[in-house]
Amino acid sequence: MPRLVRVGKTINISILFGNNGIAPMYYNWPVLFYFFDANGKTSAIVPVEMDIRKIVPGYINNFNFVLPIETLKNGKYTIGVAIIDPKTNQPALKFAMKNPRQDLIQELGSFEINRILPW
């Protein structure tokens, strides 16, 4: 993902997913990306097409996404990802990574938008 955005209405994200468990996911639960502003407030939630049943133990999967940022104002943003339980519509899986959040939204990194001209 870019560290600084000066132009454009989208950003490209490339993410590697692995499964450290002993079985794949059996259901294709939704995957959401979250944008948090500098105060930690959710600025946007974006669903992505990603079949998590394909993330099987022993393999690394590369997924590429184009995420819209046209509604985001200038400032610093953190990106998070979560796998959603369709029964509760809440994040449901803990990633095997350090995470400062307790809500099962995995922080991935941050970037800054500093557009010279408004859209």
Side-chain angles (χ1 to χ4, degrees):
M1 96 182 136
R3 296 290 178 222
L4 179 63
V5 178
R6 291 206 185 269
V7 295
K9 295 182 179 184
T10 61
I11 58 173
N12 296 319
I13 303 288
S14 180
I15 188 168
L16 298 174
F17 272 101
N19 181 338
N20 291 338
I22 58 171
M25 284 289 295
Y26 296 113
Y27 303 104
N28 192 19
W29 286 6
V31 177
L32 299 179
F33 276 83
Y34 295 78
F35 292 96
F36 301 105
D37 67 16
N39 297 319
K41 181 180 174 199
T42 303
S43 297
I45 300 172
V46 181
V48 295
E49 292 294 323
M50 181 175 152
D51 189 345
I52 63 171
R53 296 171 297 185
K54 294 180 179 178
I55 304 171
V56 296
Y59 294 94
I60 301 295
N61 299 86
N62 184 23
F63 293 95
N64 297 298
F65 307 103
V66 176
L67 298 179
I69 59 166
E70 60 193 280
T71 62
L72 301 179
K73 298 178 181 177
N74 283 352
K76 187 174 180 180
Y77 293 89
T78 300
I79 293 182
V81 64
I83 298 173
I84 306 300
D85 182 337
K87 289 183 181 180
T88 64
N89 287 320
Q90 296 296 316
L93 296 178
K94 182 173 175 61
F95 289 84
M97 300 169 58
K98 289 184 179 182
N99 189 11
R101 303 182 62 90
Q102 300 300 313
D103 58 5
L104 299 179
I105 298 172
Q106 178 65 51
E107 282 191 10
L108 300 175
S110 61
F111 68 98
E112 183 176 352
I113 296 176
N114 187 2
R115 293 187 189 101
I116 297 171
L117 299 174
W119 293 106

